Amino acid sequence: MLERLFLEILNMSFTASFVICFVMITRLLLKRVPKIFTYVIWSIVLFRLICPFSIESIMSLMPANTKPISQEILYTQTPTIHTGLNNMDQLVNNALPVATIEASVNPMQIWTFIGLIVWGVGVVILLAYGIFSLIKLKRKLETSRHEENNIYITAQLEVPFVLGIVHPKIYLPEGLLPDEKHYILLHEQIHIKRYDHIIRLISFIVVCIHWFNPLVWAAFFMAGKDMEMSCDEAVIKSLGNDVKKAYSSSLLSFAVGKRHTGLIPLAFGEGSTKSRVKNVLSYKKPSFWVVSIILIGIFLLSVGLLTNPITFSTALVAKEVDLTKFESSIIGSEMPRILYADRNKVIFEASGVYVYDLKKEELVCSYAFESFDTQLLKNNKVFVFSLADGKQIIWGFEDTAGNDVKAYSCITGEKNLMEVSKELMATYQKNSFSCYYPNENDERYNQSFGAITMLPGTQDEVIYLTFTSVEVATIKIVYESSLEHKEYQVFGKQQEVTNKQEVEEMRPTPQMEASPIQEYAEQYVAEMFESYSKYTTFKLVDSKITALNKIATFTHLTNAPIELWAIEYRLLPDNIGNVLLAGGMNTIDGWITENGDMGKPILVFSIENGGPEYLGVLRSGYLGNTLSGQEVALRQFLEKSGKLPKETYSREHILVKFPLSTGETCKLLLSQPAQKGSGGIWCVERWMDGNGSIYYDDPQVDTILMEYYEGMQEAYDKGEMPWLVDTKNVALKYTNKVLGQMLTYKDIELIENASLSDFQQLPVSIYFGYISDFQLDTELFHFDRAEWVTSSQEERMNELNLSDADMPNGFYIYNPKHYLDTFIVNEYTQYHFMKKAKESDELNEYTTTDKNEFYNYLSGYEEGSTPPFWVQTQGGYVTNIREQYLP
């Protein structure tokens, strides 16, 4: 819940950043106009920072997606953002952590949780600072003297200010001249009249929430400056231009050497004296026409910045269907189909989408396919489904080859369609409402048309559609349970079936017989039932499977086809009130459902001649949004279980070593996926980081990897993408574009004819720098990285503008930045340092694995004077620490 709030705040802050930039530019353009206009424009920023919602408009000036971070980013294997700015998306997406099969929690959830903690701490600190400052100020004001009305005189502060919300008070410093007092009082009264004290409080709270955004801070101070200058102008407008000089003198009297109230939420004083004086002296009342033009401009700007861009064609608005036109022939050539059902409503498709209210027993909403762009309907196939909660309906369009063209969604009951990205569409499809088709053994087989759905939280309550004629629109919704059978007439009149053969031909083909799969699924649920019963404090009394659907088949990975089946199940506790929901647990109508951090369970089967063999469980969050992502996740699973060798392409390999920006050495494994030899293209099939973690490359395409790379090979054979046979080029493009590094050819090392065992050896990383915080009670220490430059490195010397004079001893230690890394030692770490021989003063290198000896050696140096060391790491641990002797 809090993570989702944090992501929403990030979205609002991102959107508001564009608005702030627009307002800053507008502020420059309106530099010579009264500041009341720019002060008003800042309210647009305040709205964007507070409100997560907005309407859409063709006049929107927003250049990017207003919600770039999807809530689903916490659960997808390959998290991405979609700002609409390609360069920004690529930069950020390359840096986002990718989930792996071995991980128990999606790393994106970990980083989001860390970000949430850091953000929350920042909010608390700022609010605490504001409250503390306010308490401190109020204590100073305890000796203030009441003069009249809401005016107080104090000797504790040297600047006037307003304090309070409901009954704001004006505090003036002692010793004001009569004219000064008159001007300042009028200024502060204008603040109160315009409710500036309340606006300032709201602004402070908003800054506390968005403290991580520097543009918000800039907006806060600029808006405060415009607020003060607009108030000055109001004073001049009230008293006339003759008081400009005297008023400016009053401002200057508060300028030098006097402290202001600072960042206090309920108090604000006067600041920015120099700019305020210049503004007062240059202020001129604008003419009527100038004001009119500015107001029109502000109105248009407000509309542009307060609204979001329309995400769909204006022609794509779902229209209300006139039900009187559908007394016949609404079924057309396809059978009606349930999209969603519960005890309150049923959403179904029949040449349109209809929402039927079971309580009112009437159609409450409908959508016609004809309301879509005719070109979409003419050239593409349309399909429609509902999300599992029944709150959204999704329309998708595919071309004749089955490729996605466009997708739209709409909230049930509303009429506006919103365009859906490819990534979000894949997420929606995973979260679609599940139904099942009855087979011939089901007593409802000859009655139901389209899928049957079991109602949430029930064991035997089902809903399905039926009709009694193909040519006449006689559609009924049938509710059936062990205790009741009820039919809801939707269209037409009760009639007999007139063409059973035609009805039979139109019946959807049931999925393949899944009884062995069903048995394994029931066994899995039984294991979950036993596990929950064993490790929880509540008692379970029942379980059921609510959905079991095959989502993919892979025939090329092993000798037998591999199938992935998505399963949804529920467990019934004796008392739902006793259930303390842990991670991955939800409840629906008193039943417990499983939806873990990495998604729902996916059962993996090998289809042998004798039937399916159960291999284990994957999680939907690992599968990604594409067919290639599913294949990569399945390959990791099969390699881990020993069903596949730990290489994707068993041909010649090339090993590439390269450094990350963090300094650790990593490896790429390059292979020829389609054709062996000089004409075969190369690809990165996997890579290993400095800790030994292996990551599989996923091109994120909707084909299997074999077909994807065969297509790339064909393109190369036609003369396209010649760089695909250049191994250094392939490696460099991957490190820079996919991994987000900034490497050159000299940074990477190629090892020809490498074996799989060469790749599997943990990489060794070597660092040079200074050790600090080395303690006996912890395995961690800090390391300030530096660079060891010798006189033989002429090219590097030229880059750093070093001469021989800079290197009297033949070396130079380059350490421009002091960023501390953290390393871990263990009992096997070897320490090498200089030590005097017992029989002489000669220094020799001493080697030990005794951490205490090395600690004592470092303790002999004053802080900041230790010699530099070479640190070698492998597999996440330090293997060697060697002192660099300095003559």
Side-chain angles (χ1 to χ4, degrees):
M1 178 63 183
L2 290 177
E3 285 88 346
R4 292 179 179 273
L5 173 63
F6 177 57
L7 294 180
E8 191 62 56
I9 288 171
L10 291 181
N11 281 331
M12 288 193 291
S13 203
F14 173 80
T15 304
S17 296
F18 286 100
V19 178
I20 291 171
C21 292
F22 271 108
V23 173
M24 286 180 174
I25 295 171
T26 304
R27 191 172 180 264
L28 288 175
L29 297 176
L30 299 179
K31 187 175 181 180
R32 297 186 180 278
V33 305
K35 293 299 180 285
I36 184 62
F37 296 113
T38 52
Y39 180 44
V40 169
I41 296 175
W42 285 114
S43 62
I44 304 173
V45 175
L46 192 61
F47 174 83
R48 281 292 192 178
L49 289 168
I50 293 175
C51 184
F53 309 106
S54 181
I55 60 174
E56 295 183 347
S57 165
I58 59 174
M59 297 178 64
S60 176
L61 297 175
M62 298 304 296
N65 180 13
T66 56
K67 288 188 179 296
I69 307 176
S70 167
Q71 298 288 349
E72 302 300 327
I73 197 172
L74 297 172
Y75 309 107
T76 56
Q77 182 185 25
T78 307
T80 55
I81 67 166
H82 304 281
T83 64
L85 307 175
N86 293 333
N87 290 336
M88 180 182 290
D89 288 348
Q90 185 175 0
L91 180 66
V92 175
N93 291 339
N94 287 339
L96 293 178
V98 178
T100 60
I101 294 289
E102 292 81 6
S104 59
V105 181
N106 191 323
M108 197 63 208
Q109 289 179 297
I110 297 174
W111 284 109
T112 303
F113 179 73
I114 293 173
L116 172 66
I117 296 300
V118 173
W119 168 74
V121 169
V123 173
V124 171
I125 289 174
L126 281 173
L127 288 174
Y129 171 76
I131 295 171
F132 173 77
S133 301
L134 178 61
I135 294 172
K136 186 178 178 181
L137 176 62
K138 295 195 75 172
R139 286 179 179 174
K140 284 186 176 183
L141 298 177
E142 289 176 353
T143 59
S144 60
R145 184 180 76 255
H146 180 244
E147 186 170 85
E148 59 175 328
N149 298 326
N150 64 335
I151 303 169
Y152 292 78
I153 308 297
T154 178
Q156 297 297 319
L157 296 171
E158 300 171 318
V159 292
F161 60 91
V162 175
L163 177 64
I165 302 178
V166 180
H167 302 292
K169 299 174 183 179
I170 299 173
Y171 290 88
L172 302 177
E174 285 187 339
L176 290 178
L177 298 175
D179 285 346
E180 286 181 335
K181 185 175 181 180
H182 177 60
Y183 301 148
I184 300 305
L185 267 179
L186 182 57
H187 179 101
E188 304 302 337
Q189 287 166 348
I190 290 173
H191 273 315
I192 295 174
K193 185 178 180 181
R194 298 192 317 192
Y195 298 102
D196 286 343
H197 56 297
I198 295 178
I199 294 172
R200 196 65 171 170
L201 170 63
I202 296 173
S203 301
F204 173 78
I205 295 173
V206 169
V207 167
C208 292
I209 293 173
H210 297 269
W211 62 266
F212 53 85
N213 189 338
L215 286 175
V216 174
W217 285 97
F220 178 74
F221 290 113
M222 287 183 184
K225 188 175 179 180
D226 289 346
M227 178 184 71
E228 293 298 337
M229 288 194 285
S230 67
C231 212
D232 293 335
E233 292 168 351
V235 173
I236 302 301
K237 183 179 179 181
S238 176
L239 299 180
N241 291 332
D242 295 339
V243 302
K244 282 185 177 182
K245 184 176 291 187
Y247 187 77
S248 299
S249 299
S250 299
L251 292 178
L252 288 171
S253 68
F254 296 106
V256 182
K258 297 184 178 181
R259 292 180 297 173
H260 296 250
T261 55
L263 194 65
I264 301 177
L266 301 183
F268 57 94
E270 318 309 325
S272 307
T273 305
K274 182 179 178 181
S275 56
R276 289 178 62 190
V277 170
K278 288 178 64 177
N279 185 65
V280 167
L281 294 177
S282 62
Y283 171 73
K284 293 181 181 179
K285 184 178 178 180
S287 66
F288 170 78
W289 294 110
V290 170
V291 171
S292 300
I293 293 172
I294 292 174
L295 288 176
I296 293 172
I298 290 175
F299 172 76
L300 295 176
L301 181 69
S302 300
V303 173
L305 297 181
L306 288 173
T307 58
N308 295 335
I310 292 179
T311 55
F312 56 90
S313 167
T314 53
L316 295 175
V317 178
K319 300 174 183 177
E320 189 72 36
V321 178
D322 184 358
L323 300 180
T324 60
K325 296 179 180 179
F326 296 99
E327 282 299 317
S328 63
S329 303
I330 79 151
I331 295 173
S333 61
E334 294 189 7
M335 302 293 290
R337 183 170 65 96
I338 284 184
L339 305 181
Y340 173 82
D342 59 28
R343 288 191 179 90
N344 297 313
K345 67 182 178 183
V346 175
I347 305 174
F348 66 93
E349 173 193 3
S351 296
V353 176
Y354 302 85
V355 182
Y356 188 88
D357 190 311
L358 297 176
K359 302 294 185 183
K360 298 179 181 179
E361 299 193 18
E362 63 181 26
L363 282 165
V364 292
C365 186
S366 52
Y367 305 86
F369 287 154
E370 288 79 2
S371 63
F372 285 92
D373 188 335
T374 54
Q375 285 300 111
L376 277 176
L377 289 171
K378 179 180 179 182
N379 300 324
N380 304 287
K381 296 181 291 183
V382 61
F383 62 92
V384 62
F385 61 88
S386 172
L387 294 190
D389 57 9
K391 294 180 180 179
Q392 270 184 281
I393 302 170
I394 317 298
W395 283 269
F397 293 87
E398 291 180 345
D399 59 21
T400 54
N403 300 315
D404 292 334
V405 177
K406 276 192 176 182
Y408 299 90
S409 74
C410 106
I411 305 298
T412 306
E414 296 184 3
K415 298 301 176 186
N416 288 334
L417 297 172
M418 297 169 289
E419 190 165 348
V420 175
S421 67
K422 185 177 180 181
E423 293 78 10
L424 191 56
M425 181 63 173
T427 301
Y428 281 164
Q429 286 177 309
K430 287 184 178 180
N431 295 327
S432 61
F433 183 74
S434 299
C435 299
Y436 68 93
Y437 291 97
N439 57 36
E440 294 180 0
N441 298 323
D442 194 307
E443 61 183 12
R444 291 176 291 263
Y445 177 74
N446 293 317
Q447 300 170 327
S448 66
F449 300 96
I452 290 179
T453 180
M454 183 175 290
L455 289 184
T458 66
Q459 294 177 278
D460 62 351
E461 296 178 67
V462 298
I463 278 183
Y464 56 91
L465 294 176
T466 187
F467 63 95
T468 54
S469 174
V470 175
E471 297 180 356
V472 179
T474 308
I475 295 179
K476 292 186 294 184
I477 296 172
V478 180
Y479 164 82
E480 191 174 276
S481 71
S482 58
L483 300 176
E484 185 180 1
H485 179 98
K486 185 172 182 179
E487 297 182 358
Y488 301 86
Q489 191 77 22
V490 183
F491 294 114
K493 300 177 181 179
Q494 183 71 28
Q495 296 185 19
E496 297 299 323
V497 175
T498 58
N499 191 338
K500 290 187 178 180
Q501 182 179 356
E502 185 174 356
V503 169
E504 200 63 33
E505 290 174 354
M506 294 172 62
R507 182 188 306 282
T509 303
Q511 291 183 337
M512 63 170 286
E513 180 64 42
S515 54
I517 301 289
Q518 182 77 26
E519 290 177 6
Y520 280 115
E522 291 172 353
Q523 181 179 343
Y524 172 78
V525 174
E527 292 173 357
M528 293 298 102
F529 186 96
E530 182 179 352
S531 176
Y532 274 92
S533 300
K534 186 176 181 180
Y535 297 107
T536 57
T537 57
F538 52 86
K539 181 181 178 181
L540 294 175
V541 296
D542 199 2
S543 65
K544 66 179 178 181
I545 296 174
T546 56
L548 182 63
N549 299 306
K550 183 170 67 175
I551 61 173
T553 302
F554 294 92
T555 60
H556 64 289
L557 294 178
T558 61
N559 293 330
I562 303 292
E563 293 184 352
L564 303 180
W565 286 74
I567 182 174
E568 295 182 22
Y569 67 92
R570 294 174 188 170
L571 305 174
L572 182 65
D574 58 347
N575 186 346
I576 193 64
N578 295 333
V579 177
L580 179 62
L581 295 179
M585 295 171 58
N586 294 302
T587 61
I588 297 179
D589 294 335
W591 290 74
I592 299 172
T593 65
E594 180 189 6
N595 188 13
D597 291 339
M598 289 309 301
K600 297 181 179 180
I602 305 294
L603 306 184
V604 184
F605 295 95
S606 175
I607 308 302
E608 308 285 351
N609 292 332
E613 176 190 356
Y614 176 61
L615 301 182
V617 180
L618 275 172
R619 290 286 168 177
S620 59
Y622 294 123
L623 299 183
N625 301 322
T626 61
L627 189 61
S628 66
Q630 294 177 348
E631 179 181 347
V632 167
L634 180 58
R635 170 169 285 280
Q636 293 181 66
F637 173 84
L638 294 174
E639 286 184 11
K640 188 176 180 181
S641 60
K643 297 287 185 181
L644 284 178
K646 294 185 177 180
E647 59 180 341
T648 308
Y649 310 104
S650 56
R651 296 185 175 96
E652 178 185 354
H653 297 299
I654 290 179
L655 191 65
V656 181
K657 294 184 178 180
F658 67 95
L660 284 183
S661 57
T662 55
E664 62 183 294
T665 300
C666 301
K667 297 179 182 181
L668 300 178
L669 185 65
L670 269 60
S671 304
Q672 290 184 297
Q675 177 180 314
K676 188 176 181 180
S678 59
I681 65 171
W682 290 86
C683 75
V684 176
E685 71 163 69
R686 61 191 71 192
W687 69 281
M688 179 187 292
D689 66 16
N691 295 324
S693 298
I694 296 177
Y695 306 87
Y696 295 64
D697 179 58
D698 174 16
Q700 299 183 23
V701 292
D702 286 322
T703 62
I704 61 174
L705 296 179
M706 182 190 303
E707 293 177 357
Y708 170 72
Y709 285 116
E710 286 176 350
M712 298 281 280
Q713 182 69 55
E714 290 178 8
Y716 168 77
D717 294 339
K718 294 176 182 178
E720 303 171 12
M721 298 182 287
W723 59 270
L724 286 172
V725 296
D726 182 349
T727 50
K728 268 199 171 183
N729 206 325
V730 170
L732 203 62
K733 283 184 179 291
Y734 191 87
T735 57
N736 291 2
K737 290 190 175 182
V738 178
L739 301 183
Q741 303 301 300
M742 300 292 289
L743 304 180
T744 62
Y745 285 114
K746 67 179 182 180
D747 296 317
I748 61 177
E749 175 190 356
L750 265 68
I751 302 174
E752 305 278 351
N753 299 318
S755 65
L756 185 61
S757 60
D758 294 330
F759 173 75
Q760 292 173 338
Q761 291 178 3
L762 294 177
V764 174
S765 303
I766 299 176
Y767 308 85
F768 175 78
Y770 297 92
I771 292 175
S772 62
D773 300 324
F774 192 92
Q775 304 295 330
L776 293 177
D777 58 352
T778 177
E779 307 302 319
L780 307 177
F781 68 89
H782 288 141
F783 191 75
D784 181 13
R785 277 190 285 161
E787 182 180 358
W788 176 260
V789 184
T790 64
S791 55
S792 62
Q793 298 173 274
E794 295 183 4
E795 183 179 350
R796 185 57 177 155
M797 287 176 63
N798 293 332
E799 291 175 353
L800 298 177
N801 294 321
L802 297 176
S803 64
D804 292 336
D806 298 312
M807 310 171 70
N809 295 315
F811 66 88
Y812 182 84
I813 298 177
Y814 181 60
N815 188 23
K817 301 177 181 179
H818 299 280
Y819 295 136
L820 296 180
D821 292 322
T822 300
F823 290 131
I824 307 174
V825 297
N826 57 24
E827 64 269 26
Y828 304 110
T829 302
Q830 289 189 347
Y831 306 95
H832 311 269
F833 51 90
M834 306 308 294
K835 190 175 181 180
K836 288 182 180 180
K838 291 182 179 179
E839 56 276 357
S840 67
D841 289 336
E842 183 181 355
L843 287 173
N844 296 312
E845 185 177 84
Y846 176 75
T847 301
T848 181
T849 57
D850 189 338
K851 183 180 177 183
N852 289 305
E853 288 188 77
F854 185 63
Y855 171 78
N856 292 331
Y857 177 72
L858 291 179
S859 300
Y861 288 91
E862 294 183 4
E863 185 176 354
S865 64
T866 57
F869 290 87
W870 295 92
V871 172
Q872 177 178 301
T873 65
Q874 189 176 28
Y877 292 94
V878 174
T879 56
N880 276 283
I881 298 178
R882 186 180 301 276
E883 179 182 349
Q884 173 62 54
Y885 174 66
L886 300 180

